Each structure stands twice: as structure tokens, then as C-alpha cells.
Amino acid sequence: MTTSDRNVRAELSGLPGVAETVLSQALLARLPSNQAEAPWECHCSALMWLGRGGRAAASALPPALAGSSALATVGGFVRYTDTPVGPYDEVLGMVASHTGFRPWGTVVFMSVDSPPSLVGGRTNWAMPKTLARFDGDLASGRTITGTGDDELAWSVGATPRIIGPAIPVKAKATARQQFSDGRVGESLLVFAGRLRSAVITVEVSSAGTLGTWLRPGRHLGVFIDSASFTLGAPRFG
């Protein structure tokens, strides 16, 4: 392995994240190089739900953001139909916070079934992606499940009851992520999609702490039947 290869692998493995996102040396050794720089434009459908914040959620934040309040958590499954690295599935957990009147979110858990997406997410935005296997569908009354595909055993499942009509929504959000060198980058997400209200039953199991802040149970959320978004390159203060 060349010095350049070792630096890239250190960049991938050095990201802060919860225990479920740690990459094994075996996985690191077989990952490809980054195939798509930021920004990314993506098309997808999704389930997203809200959970309460608090001490456990705040403790999941990376060191550079430690001390920030955890207003809420956001969990979700995303089925990507078109991205710069092709289609893939994703499960995620995010902690929502704020600086003054400016809200932001930090992804502290994210797993996909695409090695190129794993590398792109970690390299471009410092999102601590790992690999998972997915089963099921995004549909009312159906269950979708993501199961860890590396060293630490975990699984997340979601079963929605979709209610109400589809409502078109446009929104912007800010993601704040700590890179392996300690810097915090801010990336702008611009979203447009059609949302329907849902009550989502969530199941979480893990040998780590995932279930202490991405809590199982019934949650209010949304079903996104179709959406597109752009996630820009990070800016550093």
C-alpha cells in the first residue's frame, strides 16, 4: 500500500461516529476510491421519523460539536433511484441542534449497501457511512430492515402507517460534520418532494448504544414518495 493509499484510508477510518459506524480493517482494504466529488444530485423515496433528543442523543455528537444541545433525533430509510454512484439503500440517524437561531443536523449513524456511496459520503461530507444489508419495501404496512454488515451487530426496522394526502414541499437544511482532521464542515441540502404523514413503528437492536438515542417505538414521521435533492460541497469556517 502506498503512502497516498494509507492517507486515504486514514481519512475514511478517522471520522467520529457511534460504535456502529466503525469500519473494520478488512472492509477498509477492499473499498474503492472516491468516484464522485460533491455536489451530488439525488432522486429517492424515503421514510423519516422524529424522536426526542436529550442527553443520550447529545452524547452521540462528535467531539468538535460536544456541548451542543440535542433538540431531537431524526431516523430514516432512503431508497435512492438515481445518484452519481448509482442506486442504493440507506438507513440513518441524525441529531438535530442549533447555533443561536440557526438549526443544523449532524449525521452520527449512516449505513448503505453501496461501497462507492460509503466512500463518497465519508470523503466528501464526513458522514460516517458503513455497510448494511436491506430487506423489505417502503410502503404502508410493509417493513423495511437494515442489518449491519461489518463487525458490530445491529439492525433497524421501520413499518409505516401512511395517512393523509401527498403535499409538495421545498426546503433547505444544513448538515454539520466533523472531518478526520477535526475541522467542521457545513453543507447545504436543497430538497423538493412530495410528503405524506405517517405513524412509523421502529425497531432497533444493537450490541452498541444505537437504541439509546435512535429509540424504538412509535414515532410521527413522513413517507416521501418521490423527491430530489442536492447536497453541496462543505464550507469550513
Side-chain angles (χ1 to χ4, degrees):
M1 182 181 292
T2 67
T3 300
S4 176
D5 289 336
R6 285 194 294 270
N7 290 340
V8 169
R9 290 304 180 254
E11 181 180 74
L12 293 176
S13 63
L15 296 181
V18 297
E20 290 81 0
T21 66
V22 174
L23 304 182
S24 68
Q25 291 301 311
L27 175 56
L28 281 167
R30 68 175 190 267
L31 289 175
S33 59
N34 190 17
Q35 298 179 9
E37 302 289 339
W40 282 15
E41 180 178 345
C42 302
H43 299 264
C44 64
S45 57
L47 286 176
M48 308 294 292
W49 62 88
L50 283 173
R52 72 179 190 270
R55 190 172 300 172
S59 68
L61 288 168
L65 300 174
S68 301
S69 60
L71 302 179
T73 58
V74 179
F77 281 91
V78 187
R79 178 151 285 169
Y80 292 94
T81 55
D82 184 24
T83 79
V85 293
Y88 63 90
D89 284 350
E90 175 179 278
V91 60
L92 65 96
M94 181 176 70
V95 176
S97 187
H98 68 100
T99 301
F101 295 104
R102 295 181 60 240
W104 47 266
T106 298
V107 173
V108 296
F109 165 74
M110 182 174 276
S111 198
V112 296
D113 59 357
S114 162
S117 173
L118 184 161
V119 173
R122 285 182 172 251
T123 304
N124 296 335
W125 300 284
M127 292 189 177
K129 294 185 179 183
T130 184
L131 287 184
R133 304 181 307 278
F134 292 86
D135 297 291
D137 296 307
L138 297 175
S140 190
R142 304 291 295 273
T143 299
I144 186 167
T145 303
T147 304
D149 199 26
D150 206 8
E151 293 187 334
L152 188 63
W154 61 265
S155 68
V156 179
T159 307
R161 180 168 62 88
I162 300 170
I163 52 181
I167 301 172
V169 173
K170 293 184 178 181
K172 295 181 180 179
T174 299
R176 300 191 75 192
Q177 302 292 136
Q178 180 181 333
F179 283 72
S180 59
D181 61 6
R183 295 181 301 161
V184 174
E186 289 198 356
S187 303
L188 179 65
L189 184 146
V190 180
F191 170 94
R194 294 171 55 84
L195 280 60
R196 298 177 65 187
S197 299
V199 177
I200 302 172
T201 301
V202 178
E203 298 180 359
V204 181
S205 65
S206 177
T209 61
L210 187 63
T212 67
W213 60 272
L214 189 66
R215 295 180 175 92
R218 297 179 70 190
H219 298 267
L220 295 177
V222 294
F223 170 67
I224 304 169
D225 58 8
S226 63
S228 62
F229 70 84
T230 300
L231 185 59
R235 296 183 299 173
F236 300 92

